Amino acid sequence: MSLKVYLSGEIHTDWREQIIDGAQGLDVTFSSPVTDHGASDDCGVAILGAEPNKYWHDHKGAMVNAIRTRKGISDADVVVVRFGDKYKQWNAAFDAGYAAALGKSIIVLHGPDHQHALKEVDAAALAVAEAPAQVVEILRYVLTGVLPG
Amino acid sequence: MSLKVYLSGEIHTDWREQIIDGAQGLDVTFSSPVTDHGASDDCGVAILGAEPNKYWHDHKGAMVNAIRTRKGISDADVVVVRFGDKYKQWNAAFDAGYAAALGKSIIVLHGPDHQHALKEVDAAALAVAEAPAQVVEILRYVLTGVLPG
Amino acid sequence: MSLKVYLSGEIHTDWREQIIDGAQGLDVTFSSPVTDHGASDDCGVAILGAEPNKYWHDHKGAMVNAIRTRKGISDADVVVVRFGDKYKQWNAAFDAGYAAALGKSIIVLHGPDHQHALKEVDAAALAVAEAPAQVVEILRYVLTGVLPG
Amino acid sequence: MSLKVYLSGEIHTDWREQIIDGAQGLDVTFSSPVTDHGASDDCGVAILGAEPNKYWHDHKGAMVNAIRTRKGISDADVVVVRFGDKYKQWNAAFDAGYAAALGKSIIVLHGPDHQHALKEVDAAALAVAEAPAQVVEILRYVLTGVLPG
Amino acid sequence: MSLKVYLSGEIHTDWREQIIDGAQGLDVTFSSPVTDHGASDDCGVAILGAEPNKYWHDHKGAMVNAIRTRKGISDADVVVVRFGDKYKQWNAAFDAGYAAALGKSIIVLHGPDHQHALKEVDAAALAVAEAPAQVVEILRYVLTGVLPG
Amino acid sequence: MSLKVYLSGEIHTDWREQIIDGAQGLDVTFSSPVTDHGASDDCGVAILGAEPNKYWHDHKGAMVNAIRTRKGISDADVVVVRFGDKYKQWNAAFDAGYAAALGKSIIVLHGPDHQHALKEVDAAALAVAEAPAQVVEILRYVLTGVLPG
Amino acid sequence: MSLKVYLSGEIHTDWREQIIDGAQGLDVTFSSPVTDHGASDDCGVAILGAEPNKYWHDHKGAMVNAIRTRKGISDADVVVVRFGDKYKQWNAAFDAGYAAALGKSIIVLHGPDHQHALKEVDAAALAVAEAPAQVVEILRYVLTGVLPG
Amino acid sequence: MSLKVYLSGEIHTDWREQIIDGAQGLDVTFSSPVTDHGASDDCGVAILGAEPNKYWHDHKGAMVNAIRTRKGISDADVVVVRFGDKYKQWNAAFDAGYAAALGKSIIVLHGPDHQHALKEVDAAALAVAEAPAQVVEILRYVLTGVLPG
């Protein structure tokens, strides 16, 4: 068994690297959105032409990014959705809903402060973790049956 | 043509009533989540037994509410998702993602302050409105072909 | 909102009647398998001809019953699966798996003794209840937003 | 033609090994749930944190195991479901129902004592075998057209 | 519970009438192909213009008839496929395959002479009957739980 | 049997009225896009706010119209696509492709001049007609088995 | 582009070999049912135990063969269905219907004598050929754009 | 991440070559319809026999070409649809509709003159470009996160 894992959500900490590093040696293929904030915001206008209206500026970028995120989620066996401490992060919750409707296995990753606000998202998950290392342990167990320690 | 419309999101203002009132006379059937905040939070434990751990308290409630929200979204032709001024509202974004993956027609309703943070959600919508009256006008136009004033 | 509810599982107690009686006045349509044990076992051979081999006797009946159970589950919004105290009840667990793969909202109904053995079934459910009255309360809450007492 | 086969059910005898050994040389890829009983029961709390309540202890484990079992069944061409002599084995019947709703080819493997109790599960199968060697012969025939001896 | 039943196959005997008559009082809605042989053969050219080539003559008719047969099969809960004594009846077998791939409950109706030649079709059915009265009895049992006699 | 028919394409002649009038007495429910050209072009900006850029002006309108056209096509049993003598009519061909991928029964309606240019669209249809009266005759035959004359 | 092609139908002439030989050098993977008539008829009882009743003898074999045929058709891009001069060949027509409902590209291969009887099957096809060499030419054209001669 | 890209539409300029050349080094697999105009028009009759009626001549060819185009679109992650300056190009719009209903990511490629006439097609796209180089830049960004310049 091999797993395709999509890493959705927060782009300001190194949680993706922690998971990818921790999962070395496991039969996992990771994908993720573009995590360069500036490129992600401006990709639409940089390629397809400037927009004086900020709404359409954002819209063009969000549409281009959707080519990547939809592909990543659609191909994934497991979607990990990370909610960090800051920002609205509505795109992360949107990805979780999208993945849920497609029947993907979802792992939500967030600190205890967000438990109440994320209860509907957590209710769609097969695991709710607080640390990237726990996600790695889940992937290891799912693929090999081996538990930590 | 008749439309089934699900009204997702904010529960602290009267936007649902404004839309339902405005749409009187149109062939629309509305549904929505339970909007009694206390009942929505406690439904799981009130029916299925208390939980000392707040996480499971929330979880049981979110699962019971999911029976209603999934039914409402799955049956809908149009899903209106309202983002208000306060709170995280991740459940609204989750519903939008869920509706998008099911191919529903989505109308997002929010003020201009949220444009950048909601760009991925807006990108999945067929209309982005700022006022409930605009949602009514869309429903009227879609059903009757008549534009406002 | 109205709900179609399929009542799967145990046929030796009156749990179905308790739920149907309790739900009077709610906008619910119930369906269920044939609960006459003898008719259910013999329907195949009674209609399509006797079989000397007990396996094919059972097989013909199970196939005819599947016309009804698949229709009931496929049409349902909510599938309630009841596990009683006796018998193997593998058909109930089969129905639960079938409903889960179709994305139905599942309510499992069983006593505390079965918790460990049913953990995989419960994990696919949106609610796990011990008494028929709790199922009624869930249906009432989902349809009306009103909690008990 | 190659086949992906998921081996669901009993974990206390060596039936999986018999099938995998017997199928050597055939173009088959096998997958199965975690068959280490202790790890399977405790994976949830071992990775995601202890639960004082046995129900949630079991629940967390069942959810994590579902990541593997859903992947295995969804990817499979053939799902073999084995019912042994002991235990409730509701998870096996659940997997059979899940596989049936996804349109998988199902082979059920059980002794003659269970025929009546498993008639609904058998009715969803393309083959009902009593011995692992028969499953191997089916796989060989399906892939090569060669019958035993 | 109500059932939508599509009656496919032989058009030269009164088996449809026998089933429809026998099922009076049951909550069943029947549909069927156009059973006027001449109209069925000529509908394409009669409406859309003559074709000198018999192949295209037949083709135009078969396409127009497909509007009705696909609608009938797609909407049906149960598809009854009747094979009579004469003719190739490949359209009946085609309908059975079409219905099988859509997951419809299939009842095949044929005499004992055709058993070997129809074994693949029968293998996709939930019931194989020899007489229209048996089909009626199945429908009555599925809807009411009452067996004959 | 009743039919839901969506009438897509040309909005400058009275072909829809001819079909609807001709089909009086048949069990058909018709739907169609908004055929008021001005309203259709301007609905987006009229409801959701002006756009100085003509592209976004058009875009907002096309998105709002999509709420209606997707609903109409998704609900339809039969999609009639009319190509007139003038204009690019790419939206008609788009609707035909959309309907084809959903497995709808398609009737294309166009004059002989367009045969070569429409060959891919015609190849996805169950009938290709030149006159609205032929569409009516098809609907009558499909519903009643009666041929013209 | 590569193609997976399933070769369904007649097993008494060498049409499969002609196609496979002719397609050498093309990026095509072929699959087919078991074409050893005796093995195909007896596989069920040879592996799973004798049946005194010929119906169940046939049934067990048809079910085991279905594991292979459903896999072959489900995986295929193109399904070629061959009708020979003899026998009922209802399984070929069943396969055609099954493939049609799954949206597969179908090529029917038969002589001119069967045109009228196969008109419904032909109407579901993208090509109707008389000779295996034509099927090869279609595959070559589809993959390379090169026409014969 | 790798991408499968189908290039639909205009066959009289070198836009496909520009994209394929520009994308060298990226993990993209391209497919496209047969772009030899003569072969595409005549493939049906060249392989399956002449037709005196031009309509059926075209029809046979369009059906054979559909084997390739449906395969290409169904397998694609991204469908690029190019509208040139000339011809009706209804097959391009048909492909766009087909791709939209399958949920494919669509990039439309056309000059500013066609904006109004293509507004419904553009509304189904995630990007609307004017030059092949922009399509290449989108593919590069989606796969690598790198923007031009």
Side-chain angles (χ1 to χ4, degrees), chain G residues 87-107:
Chain G
Y87 308 106
K88 293 292 187 182
Q89 306 181 80
W90 283 320
N91 57 327
F94 179 89
D95 283 358
Y98 196 90
L102 296 181
K104 303 295 175 183
S105 290
I106 297 174
I107 302 173

PDB file of all heavy atoms in Angstrom, chain G residues 87-107:
ATOM      1  N   TYR G  87     -25.484 -19.383 -32.278  1.00  0.00           N
ATOM      2  CA  TYR G  87     -25.802 -19.271 -30.849  1.00  0.00           C
ATOM      3  C   TYR G  87     -26.549 -17.976 -30.515  1.00  0.00           C
ATOM      4  O   TYR G  87     -26.637 -17.053 -31.307  1.00  0.00           O
ATOM      5  CB  TYR G  87     -24.541 -19.394 -29.980  1.00  0.00           C
ATOM      6  CG  TYR G  87     -23.730 -20.615 -30.291  1.00  0.00           C
ATOM      7  CD1 TYR G  87     -22.525 -20.510 -30.979  1.00  0.00           C
ATOM      8  CD2 TYR G  87     -24.195 -21.899 -29.927  1.00  0.00           C
ATOM      9  CE1 TYR G  87     -21.786 -21.637 -31.294  1.00  0.00           C
ATOM     10  CE2 TYR G  87     -23.456 -23.025 -30.242  1.00  0.00           C
ATOM     11  CZ  TYR G  87     -22.258 -22.896 -30.930  1.00  0.00           C
ATOM     12  OH  TYR G  87     -21.532 -23.997 -31.247  1.00  0.00           O
ATOM     13  N   LYS G  88     -27.067 -17.978 -29.301  1.00  0.00           N
ATOM     14  CA  LYS G  88     -27.861 -16.847 -28.831  1.00  0.00           C
ATOM     15  C   LYS G  88     -26.976 -15.628 -28.523  1.00  0.00           C
ATOM     16  O   LYS G  88     -27.370 -14.486 -28.722  1.00  0.00           O
ATOM     17  CB  LYS G  88     -28.625 -17.255 -27.566  1.00  0.00           C
ATOM     18  CG  LYS G  88     -29.705 -18.301 -27.818  1.00  0.00           C
ATOM     19  CD  LYS G  88     -30.841 -17.704 -28.645  1.00  0.00           C
ATOM     20  CE  LYS G  88     -32.011 -18.683 -28.772  1.00  0.00           C
ATOM     21  NZ  LYS G  88     -33.096 -18.147 -29.600  1.00  0.00           N
ATOM     22  N   GLN G  89     -25.818 -15.883 -27.933  1.00  0.00           N
ATOM     23  CA  GLN G  89     -24.847 -14.811 -27.661  1.00  0.00           C
ATOM     24  C   GLN G  89     -25.440 -13.674 -26.828  1.00  0.00           C
ATOM     25  O   GLN G  89     -25.141 -12.504 -27.042  1.00  0.00           O
ATOM     26  CB  GLN G  89     -24.298 -14.247 -28.983  1.00  0.00           C
ATOM     27  CG  GLN G  89     -23.732 -15.327 -29.883  1.00  0.00           C
ATOM     28  CD  GLN G  89     -23.181 -14.770 -31.178  1.00  0.00           C
ATOM     29  OE1 GLN G  89     -22.076 -14.252 -31.237  1.00  0.00           O
ATOM     30  NE2 GLN G  89     -23.971 -14.901 -32.234  1.00  0.00           N
ATOM     31  N   TRP G  90     -26.306 -14.063 -25.874  1.00  0.00           N
ATOM     32  CA  TRP G  90     -26.901 -13.030 -25.024  1.00  0.00           C
ATOM     33  C   TRP G  90     -25.868 -12.394 -24.102  1.00  0.00           C
ATOM     34  O   TRP G  90     -26.009 -11.248 -23.708  1.00  0.00           O
ATOM     35  CB  TRP G  90     -28.072 -13.632 -24.229  1.00  0.00           C
ATOM     36  CG  TRP G  90     -29.295 -13.798 -25.066  1.00  0.00           C
ATOM     37  CD1 TRP G  90     -29.770 -12.934 -26.013  1.00  0.00           C
ATOM     38  CD2 TRP G  90     -30.231 -14.874 -25.048  1.00  0.00           C
ATOM     39  NE1 TRP G  90     -30.931 -13.408 -26.581  1.00  0.00           N
ATOM     40  CE2 TRP G  90     -31.235 -14.592 -26.003  1.00  0.00           C
ATOM     41  CE3 TRP G  90     -30.324 -16.057 -24.311  1.00  0.00           C
ATOM     42  CZ2 TRP G  90     -32.325 -15.440 -26.236  1.00  0.00           C
ATOM     43  CZ3 TRP G  90     -31.406 -16.890 -24.527  1.00  0.00           C
ATOM     44  CH2 TRP G  90     -32.388 -16.591 -25.492  1.00  0.00           C
ATOM     45  N   ASN G  91     -24.838 -13.152 -23.755  1.00  0.00           N
ATOM     46  CA  ASN G  91     -23.801 -12.556 -22.903  1.00  0.00           C
ATOM     47  C   ASN G  91     -23.072 -11.425 -23.632  1.00  0.00           C
ATOM     48  O   ASN G  91     -22.677 -10.436 -23.015  1.00  0.00           O
ATOM     49  CB  ASN G  91     -22.810 -13.616 -22.412  1.00  0.00           C
ATOM     50  CG  ASN G  91     -22.149 -14.353 -23.555  1.00  0.00           C
ATOM     51  OD1 ASN G  91     -22.781 -14.560 -24.598  1.00  0.00           O
ATOM     52  ND2 ASN G  91     -20.893 -14.745 -23.385  1.00  0.00           N
ATOM     53  N   ALA G  92     -22.925 -11.536 -24.947  1.00  0.00           N
ATOM     54  CA  ALA G  92     -22.294 -10.447 -25.704  1.00  0.00           C
ATOM     55  C   ALA G  92     -23.160  -9.190 -25.653  1.00  0.00           C
ATOM     56  O   ALA G  92     -22.666  -8.080 -25.415  1.00  0.00           O
ATOM     57  CB  ALA G  92     -22.060 -10.878 -27.150  1.00  0.00           C
ATOM     58  N   ALA G  93     -24.453  -9.363 -25.854  1.00  0.00           N
ATOM     59  CA  ALA G  93     -25.356  -8.210 -25.804  1.00  0.00           C
ATOM     60  C   ALA G  93     -25.420  -7.632 -24.397  1.00  0.00           C
ATOM     61  O   ALA G  93     -25.514  -6.410 -24.210  1.00  0.00           O
ATOM     62  CB  ALA G  93     -26.746  -8.613 -26.285  1.00  0.00           C
ATOM     63  N   PHE G  94     -25.375  -8.523 -23.398  1.00  0.00           N
ATOM     64  CA  PHE G  94     -25.343  -8.062 -22.000  1.00  0.00           C
ATOM     65  C   PHE G  94     -24.094  -7.211 -21.769  1.00  0.00           C
ATOM     66  O   PHE G  94     -24.168  -6.129 -21.172  1.00  0.00           O
ATOM     67  CB  PHE G  94     -25.361  -9.272 -21.066  1.00  0.00           C
ATOM     68  CG  PHE G  94     -25.314  -8.925 -19.611  1.00  0.00           C
ATOM     69  CD1 PHE G  94     -26.478  -8.698 -18.901  1.00  0.00           C
ATOM     70  CD2 PHE G  94     -24.102  -8.821 -18.934  1.00  0.00           C
ATOM     71  CE1 PHE G  94     -26.443  -8.377 -17.550  1.00  0.00           C
ATOM     72  CE2 PHE G  94     -24.054  -8.499 -17.591  1.00  0.00           C
ATOM     73  CZ  PHE G  94     -25.229  -8.279 -16.896  1.00  0.00           C
ATOM     74  N   ASP G  95     -22.952  -7.688 -22.218  1.00  0.00           N
ATOM     75  CA  ASP G  95     -21.711  -6.916 -22.065  1.00  0.00           C
ATOM     76  C   ASP G  95     -21.813  -5.556 -22.753  1.00  0.00           C
ATOM     77  O   ASP G  95     -21.326  -4.547 -22.230  1.00  0.00           O
ATOM     78  CB  ASP G  95     -20.520  -7.682 -22.658  1.00  0.00           C
ATOM     79  CG  ASP G  95     -20.035  -8.799 -21.755  1.00  0.00           C
ATOM     80  OD1 ASP G  95     -20.573  -8.974 -20.643  1.00  0.00           O
ATOM     81  OD2 ASP G  95     -19.111  -9.527 -22.172  1.00  0.00           O
ATOM     82  N   ALA G  96     -22.433  -5.526 -23.915  1.00  0.00           N
ATOM     83  CA  ALA G  96     -22.591  -4.257 -24.634  1.00  0.00           C
ATOM     84  C   ALA G  96     -23.429  -3.283 -23.812  1.00  0.00           C
ATOM     85  O   ALA G  96     -23.105  -2.096 -23.698  1.00  0.00           O
ATOM     86  CB  ALA G  96     -23.226  -4.493 -26.002  1.00  0.00           C
ATOM     87  N   GLY G  97     -24.515  -3.769 -23.233  1.00  0.00           N
ATOM     88  CA  GLY G  97     -25.347  -2.903 -22.402  1.00  0.00           C
ATOM     89  C   GLY G  97     -24.614  -2.433 -21.166  1.00  0.00           C
ATOM     90  O   GLY G  97     -24.705  -1.263 -20.772  1.00  0.00           O
ATOM     91  N   TYR G  98     -23.876  -3.354 -20.573  1.00  0.00           N
ATOM     92  CA  TYR G  98     -23.094  -3.010 -19.377  1.00  0.00           C
ATOM     93  C   TYR G  98     -22.069  -1.924 -19.716  1.00  0.00           C
ATOM     94  O   TYR G  98     -21.923  -0.930 -18.995  1.00  0.00           O
ATOM     95  CB  TYR G  98     -22.403  -4.282 -18.877  1.00  0.00           C
ATOM     96  CG  TYR G  98     -21.867  -4.214 -17.478  1.00  0.00           C
ATOM     97  CD1 TYR G  98     -22.656  -4.594 -16.394  1.00  0.00           C
ATOM     98  CD2 TYR G  98     -20.567  -3.790 -17.223  1.00  0.00           C
ATOM     99  CE1 TYR G  98     -22.159  -4.550 -15.099  1.00  0.00           C
ATOM    100  CE2 TYR G  98     -20.069  -3.739 -15.934  1.00  0.00           C
ATOM    101  CZ  TYR G  98     -20.862  -4.122 -14.873  1.00  0.00           C
ATOM    102  OH  TYR G  98     -20.369  -4.073 -13.592  1.00  0.00           O
ATOM    103  N   ALA G  99     -21.376  -2.108 -20.822  1.00  0.00           N
ATOM    104  CA  ALA G  99     -20.368  -1.131 -21.253  1.00  0.00           C
ATOM    105  C   ALA G  99     -21.010   0.208 -21.596  1.00  0.00           C
ATOM    106  O   ALA G  99     -20.459   1.275 -21.291  1.00  0.00           O
ATOM    107  CB  ALA G  99     -19.598  -1.677 -22.458  1.00  0.00           C
ATOM    108  N   ALA G 100     -22.173   0.176 -22.224  1.00  0.00           N
ATOM    109  CA  ALA G 100     -22.853   1.419 -22.595  1.00  0.00           C
ATOM    110  C   ALA G 100     -23.212   2.230 -21.361  1.00  0.00           C
ATOM    111  O   ALA G 100     -23.018   3.453 -21.320  1.00  0.00           O
ATOM    112  CB  ALA G 100     -24.108   1.106 -23.410  1.00  0.00           C
ATOM    113  N   ALA G 101     -23.738   1.558 -20.351  1.00  0.00           N
ATOM    114  CA  ALA G 101     -24.128   2.283 -19.141  1.00  0.00           C
ATOM    115  C   ALA G 101     -22.930   2.872 -18.420  1.00  0.00           C
ATOM    116  O   ALA G 101     -23.056   3.863 -17.707  1.00  0.00           O
ATOM    117  CB  ALA G 101     -24.907   1.361 -18.207  1.00  0.00           C
ATOM    118  N   LEU G 102     -21.761   2.269 -18.594  1.00  0.00           N
ATOM    119  CA  LEU G 102     -20.535   2.816 -17.998  1.00  0.00           C
ATOM    120  C   LEU G 102     -19.892   3.893 -18.877  1.00  0.00           C
ATOM    121  O   LEU G 102     -18.871   4.456 -18.519  1.00  0.00           O
ATOM    122  CB  LEU G 102     -19.510   1.695 -17.761  1.00  0.00           C
ATOM    123  CG  LEU G 102     -19.906   0.605 -16.767  1.00  0.00           C
ATOM    124  CD1 LEU G 102     -18.780  -0.408 -16.628  1.00  0.00           C
ATOM    125  CD2 LEU G 102     -20.253   1.183 -15.407  1.00  0.00           C
ATOM    126  N   GLY G 103     -20.485   4.173 -20.037  1.00  0.00           N
ATOM    127  CA  GLY G 103     -19.957   5.222 -20.892  1.00  0.00           C
ATOM    128  C   GLY G 103     -18.731   4.820 -21.696  1.00  0.00           C
ATOM    129  O   GLY G 103     -17.986   5.680 -22.170  1.00  0.00           O
ATOM    130  N   LYS G 104     -18.498   3.523 -21.870  1.00  0.00           N
ATOM    131  CA  LYS G 104     -17.348   3.070 -22.634  1.00  0.00           C
ATOM    132  C   LYS G 104     -17.570   3.323 -24.134  1.00  0.00           C
ATOM    133  O   LYS G 104     -18.708   3.289 -24.616  1.00  0.00           O
ATOM    134  CB  LYS G 104     -17.147   1.554 -22.436  1.00  0.00           C
ATOM    135  CG  LYS G 104     -16.973   1.142 -20.992  1.00  0.00           C
ATOM    136  CD  LYS G 104     -15.705   1.715 -20.386  1.00  0.00           C
ATOM    137  CE  LYS G 104     -15.604   1.389 -18.918  1.00  0.00           C
ATOM    138  NZ  LYS G 104     -14.409   1.996 -18.302  1.00  0.00           N
ATOM    139  N   SER G 105     -16.490   3.498 -24.847  1.00  0.00           N
ATOM    140  CA  SER G 105     -16.567   3.536 -26.309  1.00  0.00           C
ATOM    141  C   SER G 105     -16.734   2.107 -26.806  1.00  0.00           C
ATOM    142  O   SER G 105     -15.926   1.235 -26.491  1.00  0.00           O
ATOM    143  CB  SER G 105     -15.281   4.151 -26.890  1.00  0.00           C
ATOM    144  OG  SER G 105     -15.232   5.530 -26.605  1.00  0.00           O
ATOM    145  N   ILE G 106     -17.780   1.882 -27.597  1.00  0.00           N
ATOM    146  CA  ILE G 106     -18.124   0.530 -28.034  1.00  0.00           C
ATOM    147  C   ILE G 106     -17.930   0.401 -29.540  1.00  0.00           C
ATOM    148  O   ILE G 106     -18.333   1.282 -30.301  1.00  0.00           O
ATOM    149  CB  ILE G 106     -19.591   0.203 -27.666  1.00  0.00           C
ATOM    150  CG1 ILE G 106     -19.754   0.223 -26.137  1.00  0.00           C
ATOM    151  CG2 ILE G 106     -20.021  -1.146 -28.242  1.00  0.00           C
ATOM    152  CD1 ILE G 106     -21.192   0.060 -25.684  1.00  0.00           C
ATOM    153  N   ILE G 107     -17.289  -0.699 -29.945  1.00  0.00           N
ATOM    154  CA  ILE G 107     -17.219  -1.078 -31.358  1.00  0.00           C
ATOM    155  C   ILE G 107     -17.917  -2.428 -31.483  1.00  0.00           C
ATOM    156  O   ILE G 107     -17.558  -3.383 -30.793  1.00  0.00           O
ATOM    157  CB  ILE G 107     -15.754  -1.213 -31.846  1.00  0.00           C
ATOM    158  CG1 ILE G 107     -15.003   0.113 -31.642  1.00  0.00           C
ATOM    159  CG2 ILE G 107     -15.700  -1.645 -33.312  1.00  0.00           C
ATOM    160  CD1 ILE G 107     -13.495   0.025 -31.935  1.00  0.00           C
TER     161      ILE G 107
END
